[in-house]
Amino acid sequence: MVFRHCFLASGLIAFLAFGCSDGANSSAENTTQVVQESNVTQLFIEAKATQKAEDFFHQGNNLLDRQNYEDAIKAYDQAIAIKVENPEAWINRGIALTSLQRYQDALGSYNRAIAIKPDKYEAWYNRGIALTSLQRYQDALVSYNKAIAIKPDKYEALINRGIALTKLHRYQDALVSYNKAIAIKQDLHQAYYNKACSYALQSNLELAIENLNKAIKLVPDKYKKLAKTDPDFSKIRSEKQFQKLLQ
């Protein structure tokens, strides 16, 4: 089977725009001015901290894009130390941890992002990936369902949901999930390949070959090579029709 991989979250931190004007001469007005100046100073301090947090966040994103995961985590940690309520930094920290196969630590990051912003579908989606990697398929299914409920057209979540369902031997439900993904994006080769896997696991040679053929037409070299060794096809691998398709 093939997964749809992690989603790189991005986010913009809003900046405050403010200014001050000359105050009047009365004592009451001067007192008000002092308070206002104090507030403005605090706003400047907060804006400077926000800018620094954003700089670390973007630094982490650049490192993540370059697959420098350890340093990316350090950059996200610095961003979070300044602004802990930053769901995007927690999500991307989780992605870096997932890339290092530190799945349990990644779950902690995704859970923090969800605690801050429960409707952040990227957190639920990537949480599902970490749980799938830990073979916690039922829990992964819950996370994918959450992501899909928030963003119904997230076809990557539908594909990975199908994989979790297949691992739970819920083949018909898995096929429904793959078909929903294909309804969103017609040329979704991963969905066709995974449908083929689900049919093969049920010893349905005809539909396995039909869907594998669709995947191969879209990405020939990848799926011919993958299907030759994928254990999901073990029940039909000796069939002449299957072998002919991979020639």
Side-chain angles (χ1 to χ4, degrees):
M1 291 188 182
V2 290
F3 284 87
R4 293 293 301 183
H5 293 291
C6 303
F7 179 92
L8 176 59
S10 62
L12 298 175
I13 298 174
F15 290 92
L16 296 171
F18 45 79
C20 56
S21 59
D22 293 334
N25 294 324
S26 72
S27 176
E29 288 173 339
N30 287 339
T31 301
T32 302
Q33 182 181 358
V34 169
V35 173
Q36 288 174 337
E37 288 176 351
S38 176
N39 290 340
V40 167
T41 300
Q42 183 61 33
L43 289 172
F44 271 116
I45 293 169
E46 290 174 1
K48 189 174 181 180
T50 298
Q51 175 67 65
K52 194 172 183 181
E54 183 182 344
D55 289 343
F56 281 126
F57 175 66
H58 289 302
Q59 181 184 340
N61 288 350
N62 290 332
L63 290 163
L64 187 59
D65 286 340
R66 297 201 298 268
Q67 300 181 359
N68 191 341
Y69 302 122
E70 294 284 1
D71 288 339
I73 292 166
K74 292 175 184 177
Y76 293 132
D77 283 344
Q78 289 177 300
I80 291 163
I82 297 167
K83 186 176 180 180
V84 70
E85 300 294 301
N86 185 344
E88 289 83 9
W90 284 111
I91 291 169
N92 287 10
R93 182 179 185 272
I95 291 171
L97 288 163
T98 299
S99 300
L100 293 170
Q101 300 182 359
R102 292 171 57 185
Y103 304 120
Q104 200 62 48
D105 292 334
L107 282 177
S109 273
Y110 300 137
N111 288 341
R112 289 297 298 269
I114 290 165
I116 296 165
K117 193 170 177 57
D119 62 348
K120 199 75 174 170
Y121 78 88
E122 301 95 332
W124 288 109
Y125 171 65
N126 285 297
R127 185 176 186 269
I129 290 173
L131 288 163
T132 301
S133 300
L134 291 168
Q135 299 182 6
R136 291 171 55 184
Y137 302 119
Q138 190 62 52
D139 292 333
L141 184 59
V142 172
S143 282
Y144 292 134
N145 284 341
K146 289 277 191 180
I148 294 162
I150 297 166
K151 191 173 176 62
D153 63 348
K154 181 70 174 173
Y155 60 82
E156 298 93 337
L158 285 163
I159 291 175
N160 287 4
R161 179 180 182 271
I163 291 171
L165 287 163
T166 300
K167 293 294 186 181
L168 293 168
H169 306 290
R170 293 172 55 183
Y171 302 120
Q172 294 306 311
D173 291 334
L175 290 168
V176 170
S177 202
Y178 297 138
N179 286 335
K180 286 182 178 179
I182 291 167
I184 296 167
K185 186 173 170 59
Q186 297 294 316
D187 61 348
L188 209 52
H189 49 86
Q190 302 94 333
Y192 288 118
Y193 182 84
N194 287 335
K195 280 184 70 176
C197 291
S198 291
Y199 282 122
L201 288 165
Q202 299 174 81
S203 301
N204 190 327
L205 176 63
E206 182 180 349
L207 290 177
I209 288 176
E210 178 184 321
N211 283 278
L212 180 57
N213 187 44
K214 289 178 180 179
I216 289 172
K217 283 182 177 178
L218 290 165
V219 189
D221 294 339
K222 175 179 179 178
Y223 291 115
K224 279 189 176 183
K225 181 179 180 181
L226 192 57
K228 287 177 181 178
T229 58
D230 193 329
D232 288 348
F233 294 108
S234 59
K235 291 182 179 180
I236 65 170
R237 183 161 283 116
S238 61
E239 298 289 342
K240 289 182 180 179
Q241 291 171 265
F242 181 80
Q243 293 177 356
K244 183 179 180 181
L245 181 60
L246 302 185
Q247 288 176 355

